[in-house]
Amino acid sequence: MLRKISIYFICVTLSCMTVGCSTMSPERERDCLIGAGIGALVAGGAMTGALAGGHAHSGSYQLGVPLAVFGGAIAGALVGCSFAKEEAPPPPPPPPPPPPPPPPPPPPPPPEKIILRGVHFDFDKYNIRPQDAAVLDEAAEILKAHPNVTVNVNGYCDAIGSVRYNLKLSERRAEAVVRYLADHGVAENRLIPHGYGKTHFVATNKTAEGRAQNRRVELVPNE
């Protein structure tokens, strides 16, 4: 009996080596050993019973039982290994997060508002007064710094006189300012004169001070 058990364990060990237990995980190796042991016991027991029932001689018994045990151990090990679950490999590391999007570009700066001061005129005159020359010199420098800007040069009068006469006078005032700015480096095609006569008053015409404010030329940039 002891010899039979020894044969069983030798066969189990050999069968496990045959199916490659040394390269398996501990869990699968355990299942293979269990399957090999069960297969060896079943096959060895079946062969022993078959030989005993057939009254086989001792040589057949000594050769047949170990072969049956070995074959059963291998078959059982294979079955046990097939039912064993391999440990799943660890999941791959998550991909690195995408880089943050670039910041949006800054908004464009608002367009620069150009403010040009106008000039005033003496009664029934259209010549540039000396005290207004500095105002037009400043306007010329601003326009030269902004070469893409065109300007409406709008002339006005007070309420004294006829509509037709004041319309003509306002046109002459606008043209006088255009000539002055052109003489100081501003391209004349950027200056658009208009005469509006006795309209668009900015002050009362009942006083001398109010009428003086209405006799004017306004510089209005086209932006």
Side-chain angles (χ1 to χ4, degrees):
M1 183 67 180
L2 183 60
R3 183 179 177 185
K4 291 180 182 181
I5 295 174
S6 299
I7 291 174
Y8 291 157
F9 279 108
I10 291 172
C11 291
V12 168
T13 303
L14 291 174
S15 63
C16 195
M17 291 174 63
T18 303
V19 297
C21 288
S22 60
T23 61
M24 299 178 183
S25 63
E27 293 80 5
R28 192 170 189 185
E29 183 179 352
R30 179 201 60 203
D31 293 341
C32 290
L33 288 173
I34 293 174
I38 295 174
L41 290 174
V42 171
M47 180 59 71
T48 301
L51 292 175
H55 304 286
H57 56 80
S58 61
S60 299
Y61 183 86
Q62 291 178 359
L63 180 61
V65 171
L67 288 176
V69 169
F70 183 70
I74 291 178
L78 292 174
V79 172
C81 289
S82 66
F83 283 101
K85 293 182 179 180
E86 283 287 353
E87 185 178 353
E112 181 183 359
K113 187 172 181 62
I114 300 175
I115 299 176
L116 302 173
R117 294 188 295 163
V119 294
H120 295 82
F121 294 83
D122 292 332
F123 178 72
D124 200 23
K125 302 293 183 183
Y126 57 85
N127 57 294
I128 304 298
R129 303 182 302 178
Q131 61 266 36
D132 291 318
V135 174
L136 293 179
D137 290 342
E138 177 188 345
E141 293 303 316
I142 294 174
L143 290 174
K144 284 188 286 186
H146 299 81
N148 296 323
V149 175
T150 59
V151 178
N152 292 306
V153 183
N154 302 330
Y156 300 94
C157 297
D158 60 27
I160 299 175
S162 68
V163 172
R164 182 175 180 181
Y165 180 85
N166 278 294
L167 182 61
K168 204 67 178 172
L169 180 60
S170 66
E171 290 174 354
R172 291 189 179 117
R173 287 172 174 169
E175 290 167 356
V177 171
V178 169
R179 285 193 302 271
Y180 187 96
L181 293 174
D183 291 341
H184 287 76
V186 181
E188 192 168 346
N189 61 358
R190 298 172 55 198
L191 306 169
I192 308 169
H194 302 280
Y196 291 101
K198 44 191 257 179
T199 60
H200 298 89
F201 302 123
V202 293
T204 179
N205 284 289
K206 295 180 179 180
T207 65
E209 293 80 7
R211 290 192 295 273
Q213 293 182 48
N214 290 329
R215 298 190 298 266
R216 72 197 189 276
V217 165
E218 295 178 351
L219 302 173
V220 182
N222 290 315
E223 296 183 80

